[in-house]
Amino acid sequence: MTATTPESQLDALIACPTCDALHHVTVVIPGARARCHRCGTTLMAPRTGAMTRIVMLAATAAILMVAAVFFPFLELQAGGLSRQSSVLGAVLAFSEGWMMPLAVAVGAMIVALPFARLLAITYALAPMALGWRPAAQAERVFRWAEAMRPWAMAEIFILGVAVAMVKVAGLAKVTPGPAFWAFAALVLVTVLKDNFMCRLTIWKTLEERRRS
Amino acid sequence: MENARRTQAVLTARRAGLVGCTGCGKVHAAGDTVCRRCGASLQSRDAKSLQRVWAWLAAGMVAYIPANIYPMLLTTNFGKTQENTIVGGAIELFLHGSWGVALIVFAASVLIPIGKFIAIGYLALSARSKVVIRGHGRQHLYEVVEFIGRWSMIDVFVVAILSALVRFDFAATVNPGIAAVSFALSVAFTMISAQNFDPRTLWDAYEEDDT
Ligand SMILES: [Zn+2]
Ligand SMILES: [Zn+2]
């Protein structure tokens, strides 16, 4: 039976990624939310104009990341001495000798992976937001973006900055620079964008546009 | 109420002789190995999933030991070097009166990692049985573990920022200690462990009793 199930019949089904329960695909109106009847995982939550918003927010966040890397991040003043640090400075804190691998990992988690993920999302979804066919390899690129998600830790870094500022507060005066605000804005924009992203809807749209 | 729902048979992709994609939800015939929609590799149930969960969890727990023994921060003040471990740093913040921040640091570097070890261990041990906590409870536990685990990395970032900022040569310098490396490894290993866990096995346990 299984070997002969026609593809069109399979297309009418959806399996919950969390608990494997089968569901019939129904049209979910924008703004509504379809949940798995067994485990409650959100299956589809399409929003009107979500593609356009996701692409615009991702592109904005990517530009903010460039600003965040190159402008001064924090300035520390103590007893007439002052010291500036950029985001790269924080990454290079571990670059002495045997800690080098940690510098690479931190650089990846706070700059490279968040940035790569934003670019990947823009590349995979921008043509669809404009109503075109998906770009070449869009599926592979979007799969990468999903895999990078847990390792892109920009939002955790900004909380770390807040903790570090409290830690040195007794010792010196800390002034946030332009890059700090760019980074904070980038975190907000990324969170907003992830709120619009519905994985299953995006995959379904990618497939439909590829076929048409 | 809960019981009535539980005994109701749920049709899963596996029971229907099909394979569901965990990446995009597309349903495939049993023999397929690669998802036609998203390109992820397909497996009805990954038999080796629990083995990998245990292996990465063990690695994460081992790396957590030196992270607590060795210093996380080396603070040099006018030639005198003070070493701070993870817990020592949180205690110092607490003594300075920054309770809120001390709590964040303590939660991120002690409560969350240890809670995560216990939670993943419990999920892995109980995955195939229908014990104590019902499906939804375990599902929530898994979601919490997945969501909160990465926040432990905050301590590593704090060390990085402090080391980059506090560099007044003779007056005051902060350097990262060896614990920063093993703590970062511990967090990464437990994240990989949680990612290898297949939540579908949690729900399978309830299926077997009515087949
Ligand atoms: Zn489900
Ligand atoms: Zn798929």
Side-chain angles (χ1 to χ4, degrees):
Chain A
M1 164 215 152
T2 52
T4 54
T5 317
E7 200 174 311
S8 59
Q9 222 171 312
L10 291 179
D11 273 348
L13 292 171
I14 186 168
C16 171
T18 309
C19 74
D20 211 29
L22 279 177
H23 300 257
H24 283 282
V25 176
T26 45
V27 178
V28 183
I29 52 163
R33 182 180 288 263
R35 289 177 185 277
C36 170
H37 66 79
R38 173 152 73 160
C39 72
T41 303
T42 300
L43 296 176
M44 295 216 183
R47 306 268 200 104
T48 336
M51 286 285 178
T52 321
R53 284 189 214 183
I54 293 167
V55 170
M56 278 166 62
L57 291 170
T60 311
I63 293 164
L64 285 168
M65 180 61 101
V66 176
V69 169
F70 291 108
F71 285 109
F73 191 68
L74 288 176
E75 194 182 358
L76 193 72
Q77 284 161 315
L81 295 164
S82 101
R83 191 181 156 78
Q84 271 188 352
S85 176
S86 63
V87 173
L88 287 180
V91 171
L92 292 173
F94 294 120
S95 65
E96 283 162 41
W98 54 272
M99 283 212 192
M100 195 60 203
L102 189 55
V104 175
V106 168
M109 288 185 291
I110 64 182
V111 177
L113 287 175
F115 191 60
R117 183 166 176 255
L118 293 168
L119 291 187
I121 288 169
T122 312
Y123 176 83
L125 305 186
M128 293 205 295
L130 295 168
W132 301 343
R133 279 176 61 91
Q137 303 288 332
E139 288 84 358
R140 174 172 304 194
V141 173
F142 189 67
R143 211 167 66 239
W144 286 340
E146 282 293 294
M148 281 182 240
R149 191 172 181 163
W151 303 99
M153 301 188 177
E155 75 275 26
I156 300 171
F157 177 67
I158 207 81
L159 188 63
V161 173
V163 171
M165 280 164 86
V166 173
K167 272 199 162 186
V168 290
L171 185 85
K173 188 173 170 283
V174 189
T175 331
F180 175 85
W181 301 112
F183 210 94
L186 132 87
V187 167
L188 281 180
V189 171
T190 308
V191 170
L192 200 63
K193 168 191 65 78
D194 286 342
N195 250 333
F196 276 111
M197 270 178 61
C198 165
R199 192 165 52 132
L200 265 54
T201 315
I202 289 175
W203 278 120
K204 219 170 163 339
T205 319
L206 257 173
E207 186 182 47
E208 284 161 7
R209 295 285 176 83
R210 181 69 80 196
R211 277 184 191 161
S212 63
Chain B
M1 201 56 200
E2 185 75 353
N3 259 323
R5 205 181 303 150
R6 203 160 73 81
T7 45
Q8 211 172 55
V10 173
L11 186 62
T12 61
R14 178 176 71 163
R15 209 191 247 183
L18 305 165
V19 187
C21 175
T22 48
C24 69
K26 193 175 173 73
V27 181
H28 298 260
D32 292 5
T33 51
V34 176
C35 176
R36 265 175 289 121
R37 181 184 286 164
C38 74
S41 63
L42 294 173
Q43 234 161 350
S44 182
R45 292 299 181 274
D46 187 348
K48 292 227 171 73
S49 146
L50 276 182
Q51 257 176 11
R52 287 197 305 270
V53 169
W54 282 118
W56 285 110
L57 181 63
M61 288 165 90
V62 169
Y64 190 64
I65 297 168
N68 276 284
I69 295 173
Y70 292 103
M72 187 88 168
L73 269 183
L74 307 165
T75 316
T76 312
N77 240 326
F78 295 103
K80 265 194 284 179
T81 302
Q82 191 199 347
E83 296 185 346
N84 257 331
T85 56
I86 291 178
V87 178
I91 290 173
E92 194 168 289
L93 272 170
F94 188 78
L95 292 178
H96 276 119
S98 317
W99 295 7
V101 181
L103 208 66
I104 291 180
V105 172
F106 187 72
S109 46
V110 179
L111 294 183
I112 294 178
I114 291 178
K116 218 179 144 180
F117 295 148
I118 297 171
I120 297 177
Y122 170 75
L123 286 174
L125 273 179
S126 74
R128 294 190 200 287
S129 53
K130 32 185 185 298
V131 286
V132 211
I133 308 181
R134 291 266 168 79
H136 280 281
R138 289 195 288 175
Q139 173 68 31
H140 287 317
L141 185 62
Y142 175 69
E143 279 166 7
V144 168
V145 164
E146 275 255 272
F147 173 79
I148 227 164
R150 34 202 295 284
W151 284 90
S152 290
M153 209 59 104
I154 187 172
D155 233 28
V156 177
F157 296 149
V158 171
V159 172
I161 299 153
L162 288 179
S163 316
L165 264 184
V166 188
R167 293 209 163 272
F168 296 117
D169 297 322
F170 182 70
T173 320
V174 171
N175 278 306
I178 190 168
V181 177
S182 52
F183 187 74
L185 282 177
S186 174
V187 176
F189 289 163
T190 23
M191 277 174 70
I192 299 172
S193 172
Q195 281 174 12
N196 270 298
F197 190 78
D198 186 348
R200 292 179 299 188
T201 49
L202 291 178
W203 294 93
D204 288 344
Y206 302 95
E207 220 172 283
E208 272 143 26
D209 61 349
D210 46 56
T211 32

